[in-house]
C-alpha cells in the first residue's frame, strides 16, 4: 500500500516559562510541580518523587520475602518434616515483621517531609532498609536453595533420613545436659567435605538467628553419611561450650611435644571435637569414610595451614586410628595406618614441614584419650564416652547387632526406631571393609536409608 502524503502541520510555538524573579521576595510566576506543597520547593518535590518510588519498590520486595515459594518450590517445602518447615517459614515471617514497620514509618515520614533535608533523611532510611532487605534475602536464598535440593522421591527420602539421623545423634547427648535439640535441614551439594550452618548463630541478617542446623552432605558421601555426625558434633560442641574446654585439654596433653606442638593441637580443637563425636557414634566407619575423602596428593595431606581449624590430614587420620586402638585394640585401622604412613613418607617432604609433623605425632595417643576419656565441665564433670560409649559401635558389638537383628535389621520399623545410629555405623562399616558382600551391603544400606526417609 502506498502511503498518502499529507501536508505537514505548521509548527506550534513552544511555551517558554517566564524568567525567575529578579530580586529576593518577588513573586515567582513559574508554575510549581504538581506535587509541590506551598512549603516546599521544586528540589524537594523532585527528590520526593524519586524517594517515593524507591520506597514503594522496597516495600514490595519486603512482601516478597514473606512468600516461601519465591525461594523454593511448593513440593520442596512440602517434603520437609512439619516442625522443620515451620521453623524455617517462621524465621522468614519474623524478618518480614521486622521490616514492615520500618517501611510504614518511612512512608509516614515522607508524607510529612517538606524540606530537602527532611526528604533526604527519609531517603537515607530507605537505603538502610534496602541493605537489610538484601541481608534477609541472602538468608532466604540460602535456605531456599537448600530446600530445593530435595528433587525427586529418592533424593527427598535420602535427605529426610539424614535429617532424622542428625537429630537422633544430638538427642543422645543434649537432653541429658538440659539443652534443646535443634531441627536439622540437610541438603546436597558439590565438593569434598560436609559443612554446617549451626542453629543459634547470627545470620547474614544480624537481627536473625539460624532457626535450624543446616548441614551440607556431598553427593559422593550421600550413601555413606558418617560425615553427617561430624557436623552434628560441631553443633553439640558449640551449644555446650566444649570447644574451648577441649582446646585446653589438648594443649595440656600435647605439651610433652613442646609449646609449639601444644599450641597447634589446641588450635585444631573444634575439628577434633567433631571427629571425636563422630567416632563415638559410628566407630571405625567414621575414620574409614574420613580417610577416603582426605587422602589426596602429598602436598594437601601434609601441609599445615596457618589459621586452619583442621589438623593436616596426615595427623587427622593418625589420631582417628589412635582412638580406634584405644577403644578396640588391634583391627583394620592398624592396616590403614601402615598404608597411610607408606603413602605419605615424611622423608619426602621439606625438612621444616617434616620436622613439624614428626614432633606432633608422639603425643597422639594422649590426645585420643583426652578427647574421649577426660572429664569436662561441658558434660557435667563426665567424659564424652560416658554419654556416648564408643564400645557400642566396636566391630564386635556391631557384628553382634547384625546377628541379633538378622535379615529384619534393615527392614524392621522396630530396629529403625531402636538403633538407627548403630545401623548407620554397621552399614558404613560393612562398606568400609569392602568384603565379598560389598554390593549386597550397599544395596541393603541404601534401601534402609530410603525406607527411613519415607517413614520419617
Amino acid at each position: 500500500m502506498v502511503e498518502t502524503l499529507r501536508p505537514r502541520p505548521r509548527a506550534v510555538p513552544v511555551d517558554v516559562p517566564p524568567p525567575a524573579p529578579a530580586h529576593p521576595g518577588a513573586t515567582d510566576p513559574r508554575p510549581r510541580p504538581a506535587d509541590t506543597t506551598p512549603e516546599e520547593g521544586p528540589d524537594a518535590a523532585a527528590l520526593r518523587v524519586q524517594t517515593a518510588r524507591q520506597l514503594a519498590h522496597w516495600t514490595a520486595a519486603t512482601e516478597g520475602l514473606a512468600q516461601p515459594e519465591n525461594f523454593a518450590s511448593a513440593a520442596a517445602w512440602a517434603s520437609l518434616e512439619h516442625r522443620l518447615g515451620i521453623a524455617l517459614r517462621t524465621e522468614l515471617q519474623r524478618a518480614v515483621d521486622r521490616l514492615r514497620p520500618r517501611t510504614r514509618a518511612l512512608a509516614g515520614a515522607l508524607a510529612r517531609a517538606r524540606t530537602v533535608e527532611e526528604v533526604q533523611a527519609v531517603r537515607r532510611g530507605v537505603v538502610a532498609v534496602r541493605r537489610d532487605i538484601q541481608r534477609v534475602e541472602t538468608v532466604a536464598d540460602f535456605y531456599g536453595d537448600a530446600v530445593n535440593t530435595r528433587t525427586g522421591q529418592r533424593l527427598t527420602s535420602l535427605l529426610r533420613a539424614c535429617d532424622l539421623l542428625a537429630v537422633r545423634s544430638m538427642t543422645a547427648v543434649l537432653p541429658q545436659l538440659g539443652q534443646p535439640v535443634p531441627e536439622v535441614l540437610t541438603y546436597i551439594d558439590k565438593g569434598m567435605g560436609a559443612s554446617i550452618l549451626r542453629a543459634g548463630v547470627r545470620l547474614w541478617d544480624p537481627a536473625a538467628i539460624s532457626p535450624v542446623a543446616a548441614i551440607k552432605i556431598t553427593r559422593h558421601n550421600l550413601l555413606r553419611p558418617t560425615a553427617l555426625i561430624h557436623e552434628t558434633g560441631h553443633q553439640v560442641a558449640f551449644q555446650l561450650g566444649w570447644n574451648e574446654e577441649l582446646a585446653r585439654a589438648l594443649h595440656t596433653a600435647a605439651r610433652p611435644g613442646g609449646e609449639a606442638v601444644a599450641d597447634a593441637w589446641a588450635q585444631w580443637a573444634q575439628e577434633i571435637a567433631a571427629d571425636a563425636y563422630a567416632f563415638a557414634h559410628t566407630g571405625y566407619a567414621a575414620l574409614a569414610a574420613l580417610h577416603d575423602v582426605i587422602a589426596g596428593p602429598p602436598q594437601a595431606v601434609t601441609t599445615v595451614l596457618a589459621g586452619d581449624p583442621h589438623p593436616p590430614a596426615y595427623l587427622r587420620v593418625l589420631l582417628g586410628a589412635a582412638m580406634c586402638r584405644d577403644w578396640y585394640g588391634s583391627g583394620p585401622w592398624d592396616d590403614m595406618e601402615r598404608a597411610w604412613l607408606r603413602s605419605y613418607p615424611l622423608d619426602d617432604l621439606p625438612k621444616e614441614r617434616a620436622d613439624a609433623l614428626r614432633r606432633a605425632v608422639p603425643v597422639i595417643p594422649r590426645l585420643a584419650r583426652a578427647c574421649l576419656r577426660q572429664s569436662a565441665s561441658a558434660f557435667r564433670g563426665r567424659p564424652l564416652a560416658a554419654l556416648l560409649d564408643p564400645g557400642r559401635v566396636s566391630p564386635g558389638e556391631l557384628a553382634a547387632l547384625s546377628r541379633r537383628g538378622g535379615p529384619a535389621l534393615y527392614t524392621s520399623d522396630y530396629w529403625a526406631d531402636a538403633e538407627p545410629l548403630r545401623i548407620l555405623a554397621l552399614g558404613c562399616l560393612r562398606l568400609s571393609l569392602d568384603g565379598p558382600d560389598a554390593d549386597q551391603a550397599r544395596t541393603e544400606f541404601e534401601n534402609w536409608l530410603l525406607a527411613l526417609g519415607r517413614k520419617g
Side-chain angles (χ1 to χ4, degrees):
M1 180 178 67
V2 178
E3 183 178 356
T4 304
L5 296 178
R6 301 178 184 276
R8 181 174 297 176
R10 289 182 297 174
V12 177
V14 177
D15 290 333
V16 178
H23 57 276
T27 302
D28 187 350
R30 292 177 296 179
R32 294 179 179 272
D35 58 349
T36 303
T37 67
E39 295 85 2
E40 70 182 348
D43 289 348
L47 185 59
R48 176 193 297 280
V49 170
Q50 307 309 314
T51 303
R53 188 183 61 249
Q54 188 181 8
L55 177 57
H57 174 81
W58 292 112
T59 299
T62 298
E63 296 308 314
L65 296 174
Q67 303 299 320
E69 289 182 30
N70 284 347
F71 302 97
S73 70
W77 284 111
S79 73
L80 300 180
E81 193 270 336
H82 180 65
R83 288 176 302 177
L84 174 58
I86 287 177
L88 289 173
R89 288 191 290 269
T90 298
E91 186 54 44
L92 285 180
Q93 189 59 53
R94 284 183 183 138
V96 173
D97 290 343
R98 288 192 296 270
L99 291 167
R100 277 176 177 152
R102 293 173 61 187
T103 58
R104 287 196 295 266
L106 288 168
L110 184 60
R112 294 188 298 272
R114 292 293 176 266
T115 67
V116 169
E117 291 73 18
E118 290 171 342
V119 180
Q120 283 283 31
V122 175
R123 187 193 65 80
R124 287 191 293 271
V126 174
V127 171
V129 166
R130 168 186 177 272
R131 176 202 62 205
D132 292 341
I133 288 172
Q134 288 177 309
R135 289 172 171 173
V136 173
E137 186 178 51
T138 301
V139 176
D141 275 337
F142 171 80
Y143 286 118
D145 289 347
V147 172
N148 259 340
T149 65
R150 302 189 175 214
T151 56
Q153 290 184 349
R154 178 179 179 276
L155 191 53
T156 294
S157 294
L158 290 173
L159 289 173
R160 289 187 70 174
C162 288
D163 295 345
L164 185 149
L165 290 167
V167 169
R168 287 291 292 266
S169 75
M170 293 185 287
T171 302
V173 171
L174 291 176
Q176 297 184 58
L177 302 171
Q179 287 281 328
V181 178
E183 300 293 337
V184 174
L185 170 66
T186 57
Y187 63 99
I188 194 165
D189 204 353
K190 62 183 182 296
M192 294 300 292
S195 63
I196 184 171
L197 176 64
R198 298 188 305 263
V201 300
R202 293 207 173 274
L203 296 171
W204 301 271
D205 170 17
I209 300 295
S210 177
V212 303
I215 299 177
K216 168 193 160 186
I217 297 291
T218 56
R219 287 187 177 85
H220 65 82
N221 250 356
L222 186 56
L223 297 180
R224 198 180 173 190
T226 53
L228 178 73
I229 313 304
H230 172 96
E231 301 307 328
T232 60
H234 279 305
Q235 179 70 45
V236 168
F238 164 71
Q239 281 191 224
L240 298 177
W242 187 41
N243 289 325
E244 299 79 6
E245 192 172 3
L246 181 62
R248 294 191 292 272
L250 293 176
H251 193 279
T252 299
R255 194 170 286 142
E259 201 65 23
V261 169
D263 288 345
W265 281 111
Q267 172 188 309
W268 301 323
Q270 178 176 316
E271 292 298 327
I272 292 171
D275 280 350
Y277 196 81
F279 171 76
H281 267 300
T282 57
Y284 173 64
L287 173 61
L290 174 68
H291 167 281
D292 295 351
V293 171
I294 65 177
Q299 174 76 13
V301 168
T302 60
T303 297
V304 180
L305 298 175
D308 188 349
H310 297 82
Y314 182 85
L315 297 176
R316 202 171 170 189
V317 167
L318 296 181
L319 178 57
M323 289 182 189
C324 290
R325 231 176 347 261
D326 185 41
W327 283 92
Y328 310 140
S330 61
W333 39 91
D334 297 317
D335 288 339
M336 174 187 285
E337 184 176 83
R338 279 191 288 272
W340 186 254
L341 295 173
R342 175 62 66 89
S343 298
Y344 302 103
L346 296 185
D347 290 342
D348 293 348
L349 302 180
K351 184 177 185 305
E352 184 178 356
R353 193 191 318 166
D355 288 348
L357 293 173
R358 285 193 180 99
R359 288 193 297 270
V361 168
V363 299
I364 284 178
R366 293 169 55 89
L367 300 173
R369 291 191 291 274
C371 290
L372 293 154
R373 297 184 184 274
Q374 185 165 322
S375 298
S377 59
F379 306 131
R380 294 185 178 175
R382 292 171 287 174
L384 176 61
L387 304 174
L388 294 172
D389 179 8
R392 296 186 71 249
V393 289
S394 70
E397 284 295 314
L398 293 177
L401 174 66
S402 180
R403 290 191 298 271
R404 192 158 63 251
L409 188 65
Y410 290 101
T411 59
S412 160
D413 286 349
Y414 166 77
W415 285 113
D417 288 336
E419 297 283 9
L421 291 163
R422 290 217 293 163
I423 294 174
L424 168 67
L426 173 62
C428 292
L429 176 65
R430 292 173 69 194
L431 295 176
S432 69
L433 297 178
D434 198 28
D437 67 339
D439 288 340
Q440 179 184 350
R442 187 170 293 104
T443 299
E444 287 179 347
F445 186 60
E446 179 177 356
N447 289 340
W448 178 76
L449 283 173
L450 289 168
L452 186 67
R454 288 192 293 267
K455 176 177 176 292

